[in-house]
Amino acid sequence: MVNWIWLFFIVVSVVVAAFTGKMDTVTQAAFDGAKSGVTVSFGLISIMVFWLGMMRIAEDADLLKKLARLLRPVVRWLFPDIPKDHPAIGYIMSNLSANLFGLGNAATPMGIKAMQELQKLNPDKDTATPAMCTLLALNTSSITIVPTTLIAIRMNYGSANPAEIIGTTIAATIVATTAAIAADRWYRSRSKAPPLPPPSQKPSKHTTPLQSSGGGELV
């Protein structure tokens, strides 16, 4: 859908430029945009390499393990329907840790792996589980201590103080995450979805999805 939206904008801009005699302006804007994209990309590479290196140092110093232990009770509260020590928990904590440092590109693979693990627990493969919705909300609104990507972009465009947004970013992401968690708790309280079955438990082929052979609900 996004590709069609961008195609619409491009076609409309070219058609309007052709009718108004400003094709040179559109062509120049296209080249300037491509040049800016390459410049920003190289700037992002440098800052991403730096922070990924810092994350590797923190990992070798066991700081990430300590952070994971601090986050574990919070993750267990946010995702009560995920079995204890399930692989999804580790990926979720890695995703949240990367987002804390503004490493969105590094957090994305962990978020995808977490979703894949959650899909394995999903009894209805065509409908997202509450845990999936919670992960999506947290990944979108995650608290960010160091907005690495934004700092890199501000550096590329000559900001006098690229890091001055750290305070406001922390405040904004705290508000966003609080709102996301509140909405998630509210929708969970209204959800009628049955609890996830244990990974090894499968409904009998002679029963309905919501009942076991003895007539009780699956847990």
Side-chain angles (χ1 to χ4, degrees):
M1 183 63 183
V2 175
N3 292 334
W4 286 106
I5 293 175
W6 281 111
L7 178 61
F8 171 78
F9 284 139
I10 292 172
V11 171
V12 169
S13 63
V14 171
V15 171
V16 172
F19 276 102
T20 57
K22 296 183 178 180
M23 285 298 298
D24 291 342
T25 303
V26 173
T27 303
Q28 185 63 40
F31 283 114
D32 291 342
K35 180 180 179 181
S36 298
V38 173
T39 302
V40 172
S41 296
F42 276 111
L44 290 176
I45 289 173
S46 62
I47 197 70
M48 287 293 293
V49 167
F50 171 76
W51 279 109
L52 288 174
M54 293 294 289
M55 290 283 285
R56 182 59 183 269
I57 293 173
E59 181 180 2
D60 292 342
D62 288 336
L63 292 179
L64 290 185
K65 291 183 179 179
K66 295 178 181 178
L67 179 60
R69 282 197 293 268
L70 291 174
L71 290 176
R72 184 175 292 274
V74 177
V75 172
R76 292 298 306 156
W77 176 74
L78 290 170
F79 300 90
D81 44 352
I82 301 179
K84 185 179 180 181
D85 296 327
H86 191 273
I89 296 293
Y91 289 123
I92 289 172
M93 289 192 295
S94 298
N95 175 267
L96 295 179
S97 298
N99 276 324
L100 283 174
F101 294 98
L103 301 173
N105 292 338
T108 299
M110 295 297 100
I112 293 175
K113 291 294 293 183
M115 282 293 186
Q116 290 174 343
E117 292 296 331
L118 292 176
Q119 180 68 355
K120 295 177 182 179
L121 297 173
N122 191 356
D124 183 359
K125 303 303 182 183
D126 295 326
T127 303
T129 63
M132 288 179 169
C133 296
T134 301
L135 176 60
L136 181 61
L138 290 177
N139 188 68
T140 304
S141 63
S142 177
I143 295 175
T144 303
I145 299 175
V146 183
T148 306
T149 304
L150 289 178
I151 290 175
I153 293 175
R154 288 170 60 86
M155 289 174 61
N156 277 305
Y157 283 97
S159 173
N161 187 4
E164 67 179 350
I165 61 172
I166 290 179
T168 53
T169 299
I170 293 174
T173 53
I174 287 176
V175 172
T177 302
T178 301
I181 293 175
D184 176 72
R185 297 291 100 177
W186 186 78
Y187 278 108
R188 275 180 177 267
S189 68
R190 295 172 59 87
S191 174
K192 302 301 182 182
L196 294 178
S200 60
Q201 183 175 350
K202 295 182 180 180
S204 171
K205 64 180 180 179
H206 300 296
T207 62
T208 63
L210 296 181
Q211 291 186 329
S212 65
S213 58
E217 291 184 353
L218 288 176
V219 292

